[in-house]
Each structure stands twice: as structure tokens, then as C-alpha cells.
Amino acid sequence: MKKNMLAILILVVCIVNLTLNAYLIFTVLPNAQRTDQLITKIMQIIDLELESPLPSDLNVNYTIEDIEKYAIDELTSNVAIGPDGKQHYAKITASLTINSKDEDYAKLNPKVEVMKPDIISIIKTDVAKFNNEELANPETKAKLKEQILNDVQTLFNSKFIVDCTIDYLIS
């Protein structure tokens, strides 16, 4: 008789255990997974805010004493035809900032003067992609500056040119 009672008690405990496991699997686990996904998303957002907004390949290992400016002659360039349907021109003043402590400086700095027509062509081509209204937008000016810098760095296959300055007057 004691063996039957013990067997019934074990059977009841097994059924309760099975019921609790089913409850755990079908109700608690999905909620825990959703909470985990939410925490993961929050952590991703926090990581994005903690990262620097500057590009990671930005090499800022120079000081103001290490830079040289290379001025480019005043240029005049056509700009794309705007919404008004008229042809406009941009009078451009540009210069390049060169890091004199860069490992490529000694080899490539003399080439800057030789490649000046190509640099002028890059500037005129990049400016001509925008119309007069777009060029008036400060965001476009930043985008244009970045594009010119990337194109010039690609031309020299080096990052010894660290910045470019561009200003224009649209007529």
C-alpha cells in the first residue's frame, strides 16, 4: 500500500513538473526573448552614440606646425542648370592642406605642382555636378569639399593631403 501511495505521489510530482515546464516554455521564454531583443536594440543605440562621428580612417597625427597650404588659382566653372533654366557660373577659390610630416610628403609634394591641371579639373568637375541653388546649401558645400578631398587623395594614392578649402561665388 505504501508503494502505491509513493508511486501516485511521484506521478503527481511529475505531472506538476511537466505542467510547470510547459508554462515556462510557452509563456515565460517568449517574453524573455522579447526582453532580450529590446535590451540588444537599446545597447546598439547606446553604442552608436558612444562612437565618434568622425571617420575612423581620419589620420589626425599632425599639428598646425606640420601643415602647408597649397593655393590653387582662382577658377571659373559652369554649374549645372538649375530650376530657373539659366546657366550660372561659380568663381572658385580653393586650397589644399598638406601634412609635411606624412611619409609620402617628400616623394609626392613636388608632384602637386605638376598635377595642378588635374586638381583643377577635379574641382571644376565636382562643382559642375551641382546647380546654383544646391551650391547655396551649406550641406552641399561640405559634401563637395569631401568629394574633392577624396578625389585628390585618390589621384595621388596617398593621404598626405589632409584637407581642402573651397569657397565660391555664384553668378
Side-chain angles (χ1 to χ4, degrees):
M1 182 95 168
K2 283 189 173 184
K3 287 185 179 179
N4 284 341
M5 284 295 237
L6 192 58
I8 291 175
L9 183 63
I10 292 173
L11 181 64
V12 169
V13 170
C14 286
I15 292 174
V16 169
N17 188 20
L18 183 65
T19 306
L20 289 176
N21 280 336
Y23 173 77
L24 182 72
I25 290 173
F26 294 114
T27 57
V28 175
L29 193 60
N31 287 337
Q33 289 175 338
R34 279 183 262 158
T35 304
D36 184 46
Q37 290 172 351
L38 177 65
I39 291 171
T40 303
K41 287 178 184 177
I42 291 171
M43 293 305 295
Q44 288 172 344
I45 292 170
I46 290 172
D47 285 341
L48 288 176
E49 290 176 1
L50 292 177
E51 291 178 6
S52 172
L54 299 174
S56 60
D57 64 343
L58 186 62
N59 195 5
V60 187
N61 58 356
Y62 58 90
T63 62
I64 194 77
E65 292 87 22
D66 297 339
I67 62 170
E68 294 178 5
K69 287 299 239 181
Y70 179 77
I72 297 175
D73 301 331
E74 203 168 83
L75 313 168
T76 303
S77 175
N78 294 336
V79 297
I81 295 177
D84 61 357
K86 295 180 182 176
Q87 181 64 57
H88 294 275
Y89 301 92
K91 189 175 184 181
I92 306 165
T93 306
S95 66
L96 301 176
T97 304
I98 301 171
N99 180 4
S100 64
K101 298 295 183 189
D102 192 275
E103 57 194 31
D104 293 334
Y105 174 79
K107 178 176 67 172
L108 294 176
N109 191 43
K111 301 287 184 189
V112 174
E113 186 66 36
V114 174
M115 300 300 284
K116 187 174 184 177
D118 293 329
I119 296 169
I120 290 172
S121 175
I122 287 171
I123 293 170
K124 285 184 173 184
T125 302
D126 287 344
V127 169
K129 293 177 183 175
F130 299 99
N131 64 42
N132 60 324
E133 290 183 6
E134 292 171 334
L135 287 173
N137 186 349
E139 293 171 357
T140 304
K141 187 173 184 177
K143 189 186 309 181
L144 176 64
K145 179 180 170 179
E146 182 180 329
Q147 182 63 42
I148 291 171
L149 179 62
N150 287 338
D151 291 346
V152 171
Q153 287 176 340
T154 302
L155 175 69
F156 285 99
N157 196 21
S158 175
K159 295 199 183 269
F160 83 106
I161 297 175
V162 293
D163 196 15
C164 74
T165 306
I166 186 162
D167 199 19
Y168 44 80
L169 179 65
I170 304 164
S171 62

